[in-house]
Amino acid sequence: MQSLYLLVPLAPLAGALLAGLFGKTIGRAGAHTATILGVAVALLASCVIAQDVIVNGNTFNGALYTWATSGSLRFEIGFLIDPLTVMMMLVVSFVSLMVHIYTIGYMEEDPGYQRFFSYISLFTFSMLMLVMSNNFLQLFFGWEAVGLVSYLLIGFWYTRPTAIYANLKAFLVNRVGDFGFALGIGLVASYFGSLDYATVFAAAGGLAQETIALFPGVEWSLLTVTCICLFIGAMGKSAQFPLHVGCRIRWKAQRRFPH
């Protein structure tokens, strides 16, 4: 089953690489076929996994690859497969498949046809890595990858000054939120000694009374500060005040103009 878990994010990634690196060779039809097939495979695999989790009650939480260790801290690639995860896997892959199919007509006259398909398939890979992660480091990777592809999509029509301005502004606004997110993950690593969700959540109760001094003589709850930092990252991605300005400029830049 672990091979099936890997297939879900890697199938859209394969389609993105084919369309992005060999788009001129395989042509428009090849680009949309490769990316749509990749996302369709991810959706079918997600359905099989969902049936295994929901009907059979099988869940999974484990590392597939450890790429670095620092003392007791391990940096891993792993998946947490439970009912919430499979619901998000189904939503992401299904919505992405519909977007890919719609894009065939939406971008039919655009010279960047293959590039656009590569971007949205790469976005799907990033989202799946985010929702399937079982640790904060992989979550951060998916989080930043989503931000990077959003930057590329917002500035897709890179010859337009408005698009360039929009993607730079959105990129900078997101970096503000991501800075808080990174601080929160740093606090988790420092005080919990692990980035694994299960380990961190299990240890949270024991650190409920732990405090840190943000300013001399002012003590704050560790869990409160950590959650606020993580929430700042969510504020940037979901365009909440005061980081909402990136959303408005993205909407303006992404409107479809006649050729």
Side-chain angles (χ1 to χ4, degrees):
M1 189 61 74
Q2 291 184 23
S3 299
L4 201 61
Y5 300 156
L6 278 171
L7 184 62
V8 174
L10 292 184
L13 177 62
L17 292 175
L18 282 173
L21 298 178
F22 306 102
K24 291 184 178 179
T25 302
I26 62 179
R28 291 181 169 228
H32 71 235
T33 300
T35 53
I36 290 175
L37 181 61
V39 177
V41 168
L43 177 59
L44 290 175
S46 297
C47 290
V48 174
I49 295 169
Q51 189 271 339
D52 185 54
V53 171
I54 296 171
V55 177
N56 300 330
N58 296 324
T59 61
F60 175 82
N61 180 20
L64 302 181
Y65 177 71
T66 300
W67 60 273
T69 59
S70 178
S72 61
L73 193 63
R74 301 171 64 87
F75 302 99
E76 300 172 330
I77 296 174
F79 295 141
L80 171 60
I81 308 297
D82 60 11
L84 178 60
T85 300
V86 295
M87 182 188 72
M88 292 306 301
M89 289 163 61
L90 290 171
V91 169
V92 170
S93 54
F94 175 76
V95 172
S96 178
L97 180 60
M98 297 300 102
V99 170
H100 277 69
I101 294 172
Y102 179 78
T103 300
I104 295 175
Y106 183 74
M107 298 293 290
E108 62 179 344
E109 298 179 4
D110 198 285
Y113 188 87
Q114 295 97 314
R115 181 163 55 92
F116 192 87
F117 272 96
S118 176
Y119 287 172
I120 58 175
S121 195
L122 189 60
F123 189 94
T124 306
F125 160 74
S126 304
M127 280 294 300
L128 288 169
M129 287 296 287
L130 190 159
V131 302
M132 294 174 68
S133 64
N134 78 332
N135 63 82
F136 284 96
L137 184 66
Q138 185 174 323
L139 172 69
F140 189 71
F141 163 77
W143 196 272
E144 289 300 304
V146 167
L148 172 62
V149 182
S150 295
Y151 167 83
L152 296 173
L153 287 169
I154 294 166
F156 179 77
W157 290 297
Y158 54 84
T159 57
R160 299 176 181 172
T162 53
I164 298 300
Y165 170 74
N167 72 353
L168 286 175
K169 184 174 182 180
F171 184 82
L172 293 174
V173 170
N174 272 289
R175 296 293 74 73
V176 174
D178 292 349
F179 179 70
F181 196 64
L183 287 177
I185 294 176
L187 287 171
V188 170
S190 297
Y191 285 89
F192 290 84
S194 175
L195 294 173
D196 181 77
Y197 292 159
T199 303
V200 171
F201 296 154
L207 293 173
Q209 304 304 318
E210 185 76 23
T211 60
I212 57 175
L214 296 182
F215 306 100
V218 180
E219 297 288 332
W220 283 61
S221 166
L222 169 66
L223 295 184
T224 298
V225 174
T226 303
C227 290
I228 289 174
C229 288
L230 295 174
F231 181 67
I232 290 172
M235 288 170 61
K237 278 290 187 290
S238 57
Q240 299 183 48
F241 180 85
L243 301 179
H244 64 291
V245 292
C247 180
R248 178 169 55 86
I249 200 70
R250 284 198 295 267
W251 177 82
K252 289 182 179 179
Q254 288 177 320
R255 287 182 299 177
R256 178 71 168 171
F257 293 97
H259 290 284

